[in-house]
């Protein structure tokens, strides 16, 4: 159990934090129309 607390649990926490950080910062590289929030109303052309 000590191995899990000292090595595995911190590694999992850092891994989850890193994945979340990459997912959030990926919006910088999206085109501007995809980075905007979705429209709420109906779009009429």
């Amino acid at each position: 159990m000590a191995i899990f607390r000292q090595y595995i649990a911190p590694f999992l926490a850092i891994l989850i934090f890193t994945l979340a950080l990459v997912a959030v910062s990926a919006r910088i590289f999206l085109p501007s129309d995809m980075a905007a929030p979705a429209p709420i109303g109906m779009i009429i052309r």
Side-chain angles (χ1 to χ4, degrees):
M1 195 66 167
I3 292 174
F4 180 78
R5 264 188 266 134
Q6 288 182 350
Y7 298 105
I8 299 173
F11 175 74
L12 287 176
I14 291 173
L15 183 67
I16 291 171
F17 174 78
T18 305
L19 287 175
L21 183 66
V22 168
V24 170
S25 62
R27 291 189 55 169
I28 298 169
F29 302 105
L30 289 174
S32 61
D33 58 338
M34 291 181 68
I40 297 173
M42 195 169 91
I43 299 174
I44 300 172
R45 293 186 186 199

